[in-house]
Amino acid sequence: QVQLVESGGGLVQPGGSLRLGCAASGIIISIYTMGWYRQAPGKQRELVASIVSGGSTNYADSVKGRFTISRDNAKNTLYLQMDSLKSEDTAVYYCNADVRTTTWRRSDYWGQGTQVTVSS
């Protein structure tokens, strides 16, 4: 089994910054794409940003230029640096990882979520 544990959420004022972290642990042979998703009340979960093992990244248009996704492959850890935060960034943020745990098994895993609230 693989566990993803997020950290770094909280309350921040508009224009402020937060850094989210996501540590993967368990039986891991390799991690392919990792990503951050978010879900605001009454809305569907949406992709915020993703990064493949080689480092290529993808961002939602709403966060381009403000958020930066990165990963430390040696530590199986994912990060999301969020700058210039807006009230519309308020949501529960989830970490996701595509993980190979055995030669023949590759599955998608989710963290438990961390709340980010942007408010004055």
Side-chain angles (χ1 to χ4, degrees):
Q1 268 290 18
V2 173
Q3 295 79 40
L4 301 180
V5 179
E6 297 115 335
S7 60
L11 173 65
V12 64
Q13 292 186 342
S17 297
L18 280 177
R19 189 186 195 213
L20 304 183
C22 172
S25 63
I27 301 174
I28 297 171
I29 293 179
S30 57
I31 303 178
Y32 301 95
T33 302
M34 300 184 82
W36 290 99
Y37 289 73
R38 68 186 180 187
Q39 188 166 19
K43 295 188 176 181
Q44 289 189 333
R45 189 173 297 189
E46 64 175 358
L47 174 68
V48 175
S50 63
I51 182 169
V52 299
S53 56
S56 295
T57 58
N58 178 55
Y59 294 92
D61 288 343
S62 58
V63 307
K64 280 181 182 177
R66 300 188 298 120
F67 290 11
T68 303
I69 190 170
S70 61
R71 63 191 283 175
D72 184 331
N73 291 330
K75 296 181 179 179
N76 291 331
T77 302
L78 177 70
Y79 303 99
L80 185 68
Q81 177 66 41
M82 304 185 293
D83 299 317
S84 303
L85 283 160
K86 305 176 181 180
S87 58
E88 50 263 43
D89 295 318
T90 295
V92 178
Y93 284 70
Y94 297 90
C95 173
N96 173 267
D98 177 9
V99 182
R100 180 170 296 284
T101 54
T102 70
T103 301
W104 58 87
R105 181 170 293 172
R106 177 175 170 177
S107 302
D108 217 36
Y109 293 90
W110 292 89
Q112 81 285 356
T114 185
Q115 177 70 46
V116 171
T117 302
V118 184
S119 175
S120 54

